[in-house]
Amino acid sequence: MAVIARVLPEYRDRGLGAALYEHCLAHARVLGAQGIRTVVLAANADGLRFAEGRGFVEVERYVAAEDETEVWLTLRLER
């Protein structure tokens, strides 16, 4: 299952992302998820801080397509 979620900059620092994350994580665990992965642009310092602050660790770094230059990171949270 994949879910794309983000909080727009004008709504950040209000706890919305944390609440959404906690709700989705709890639901994933009820469904029996053994691990959770997220993908974040390497240039997205706020997104990386958010994920790493919740225990995610980098497992892969890549460019999604040959004609792109943006570096993406895959991060994983073990159960």
Side-chain angles (χ1 to χ4, degrees), residues 10-51:
E10 61 268 26
Y11 296 101
R12 292 182 183 156
D13 297 320
R14 300 180 189 185
L16 298 171
L20 180 62
Y21 168 77
E22 292 300 331
H23 175 79
C24 291
L25 183 62
H27 186 67
R29 288 193 170 140
V30 166
L31 294 175
Q34 297 298 309
I36 307 293
R37 280 192 287 173
T38 189
V39 178
V40 180
L41 274 171
N44 181 354
D46 290 339
L48 288 172
R49 245 188 323 276
F50 183 88

Side-chain angles (χ1 to χ4, degrees), residues 37-45 48 51-52 57-64 70-76:
R37 280 192 287 173
T38 189
V39 178
V40 180
L41 274 171
N44 181 354
L48 288 172
E52 290 169 344
V57 294
E58 181 181 335
V59 295
E60 182 182 15
R61 196 174 278 246
Y62 61 95
V63 175
E70 295 180 314
V71 176
W72 292 85
L73 288 101
T74 299
L75 300 109
R76 184 168 179 86

